[in-house]
Amino acid sequence: MEATGKLFIDALKCALHGNRAEWDHIPDEAEWSGVCRLAREHHVLPLLAESLNGTPAAVERPKRWELFLDYAREQTLTQACRTAEFKLLYSRLAREGLHPAIVKGIICRRMYPHPNQRVSWDEDLFIPEDEFDACAAALEGYGLAREYTDTPEDVLYETTFKDMSRHLYIEIHTRLFPPAYAAYGDCSAPFVDALERSSEITIDGMAFRTLDPTDHLLYLMLHAYKHFLHGGMGIRHVCDICLFAGTEETDGRRIRSVTDGLRLSRLFAAVFAIGERYLGLKGYPAFADIDAEPEPLLEDILTGGLYGTVDIDRAHSSRITLEAAAAEKSGRRSRGALTSAFPSRRALEGTYPTLKKHPYLLPVFWIRRLFAYLTDRRQGPIDPTRSLKIGSERVALLENYGVIGGRRRGRRR
């Protein structure tokens, strides 16, 4: 790990334990800028502000540090408002006889020394399909606007409702993973009966319904894997997973059984190794017998940002990792970049529902996708060669952790 990454991880480690960072040297300007950049990219500015405040590195840069603090305070205050508004909304849903299970969000924030420093853009609610209409009506009655898409009902798994004036951004899930994605659609299987196992938890004196701890840990892990395929999991995913595993009583046998079945055990052994070795968090006994190198995964995490979308080439490389995982699931040989450019009709139906009724339009949508890819300039000009290189390296990482075929590094202890 390069010096900037080590400084960042050390500061984050201290923040997770409520301590002030103690670096072995005062970083130079390049290192300091790098730490600030990583804090922004991984959405942990408030966490680092807490651990770095009063350190020589901050004192030495009063103007820049004050600007850093201003951003951190703004994000913390906004999160406090968002949390307060969500509590009011959830109380309203409870009064109307609705008790959706919360996943992530406020459930994860409570594990941090200062919960509002762990910012969350949205809150996710998991409900039975037959309660969707009632829940949607309640949210709209509370003043939230429903975000409509052209996604057909048979692949729709989440619906967004928002009122940004009140900092409310709610996602309603009838399934926890989108079935349209061949790469990870089967991740929904462990949660078929999850709502029947849900339980209540008290946060700040208020009762919330959420998943059983084992289900919730599994969801945090598989959700991070989904992001890994779409570009990368962030260091905050690692923090959430390891903090949750160290806080709640969970069924390690069931966790391991599911991850073994999905070929994800070595990957998550590396995740917990990062938490234990670099963040001072508890390991997870269910993966103690697996010797997985955490450093390649940590490097990938640090370079990718929160969702692996730190730049446009990295974001577009996800087409290759998704294709590799989908090919593994179906037992076919991946065509790599070729399939990412010309995916099958089935792979595109979730994005372009028209293809279900008019499959002959597939070449039209291939051209549309390629044109959109080559003309997307939101994060700067696209370099297809670099995107292909990143994708190939990340497929090798999947192979390294045994998620897909190929070399199997790491061994059982």
Side-chain angles (χ1 to χ4, degrees), residues 153-171:
E153 289 298 321
D154 60 338
V155 296
L156 185 66
Y157 86 109
E158 69 178 20
T159 305
T160 299
F161 297 81
K162 58 186 179 181
D163 178 356
M164 303 317 294
S165 67
R166 288 187 285 176
H167 305 288
L168 286 172
Y169 193 102
I170 309 296
E171 289 186 347

Side-chain angles (χ1 to χ4, degrees), residues 279-297:
L279 297 173
L281 301 173
K282 292 181 181 178
Y284 195 59
F287 298 100
D289 64 321
I290 302 178
D291 186 12
E293 299 173 287
E295 286 76 21
L297 179 60

Side-chain angles (χ1 to χ4, degrees), residues 7 20-23 25-29 31-32 35-36 51-66:
L7 290 168
R20 179 175 292 179
E22 294 183 3
W23 287 336
H25 70 282
I26 297 177
D28 58 30
E29 284 304 309
E31 290 172 335
W32 177 256
V35 169
C36 293
S51 65
L52 292 176
N53 201 20
T55 63
V59 171
E60 195 175 84
R61 302 170 173 86
K63 290 185 178 179
R64 294 181 66 184
W65 178 245
E66 192 58 39

Side-chain angles (χ1 to χ4, degrees), residues 178-229:
Y181 278 95
Y184 55 83
D186 57 348
C187 286
S188 278
F191 308 102
V192 171
D193 302 318
L195 287 170
E196 297 174 14
R197 295 188 295 271
S198 64
S199 57
E200 278 195 348
I201 188 171
T202 301
I203 303 173
D204 298 331
M206 182 174 172
F208 295 91
R209 181 157 295 282
T210 186
L211 299 182
D212 164 87
T214 300
D215 285 329
H216 209 147
L217 178 57
L218 261 177
Y219 175 65
L220 291 175
M221 293 165 67
L222 299 184
H223 179 77
Y225 170 61
K226 181 192 82 169
H227 279 293
F228 182 91
L229 293 179

Side-chain angles (χ1 to χ4, degrees), residues 6-7 9 21 48 92 119 123 126 138 140 161 184 191 200 233 273 288 315 359 383 397:
K6 186 177 186 305
L7 290 168
I9 289 294
L48 259 64
R92 171 70 173 267
V119 295
E123 294 287 348
F126 183 32
E140 290 173 332
F161 297 81
Y184 55 83
F191 308 102
E200 278 195 348
M233 69 174 75
D383 182 346
L397 197 61

Side-chain angles (χ1 to χ4, degrees), residues 228-229 231 300 313-324 336-337 340 383-399 404:
F228 182 91
L229 293 179
D300 183 72
D313 295 325
R314 170 89 178 213
H316 280 281
S317 75
S318 66
R319 301 177 185 215
I320 298 172
T321 47
L322 284 165
E323 154 59 17
S340 73
D383 182 346
T385 302
R386 181 170 177 269
S387 183
L388 177 60
K389 180 176 183 293
I390 294 171
S392 299
E393 289 172 348
R394 301 198 71 245
V395 167
L397 197 61
L398 288 171
E399 294 176 348
I404 63 175

Side-chain angles (χ1 to χ4, degrees), residues 180-183 316 318-324 326-327 332-352 355 359-371 373:
Y181 278 95
H316 280 281
S318 66
R319 301 177 185 215
I320 298 172
T321 47
L322 284 165
E323 154 59 17
R332 59 181 171 80
R333 182 177 179 180
S334 172
R335 293 186 295 149
L338 183 61
T339 302
S340 73
F342 303 102
S344 68
R345 175 176 59 84
R346 184 178 178 186
L348 286 180
E349 283 178 353
T351 306
Y352 304 108
L355 284 172
Y360 56 87
L361 291 176
L362 180 59
V364 173
F365 287 105
W366 281 344
I367 294 170
R368 179 183 293 184
R369 289 175 79 256
L370 283 171
F371 181 78
Y373 172 72

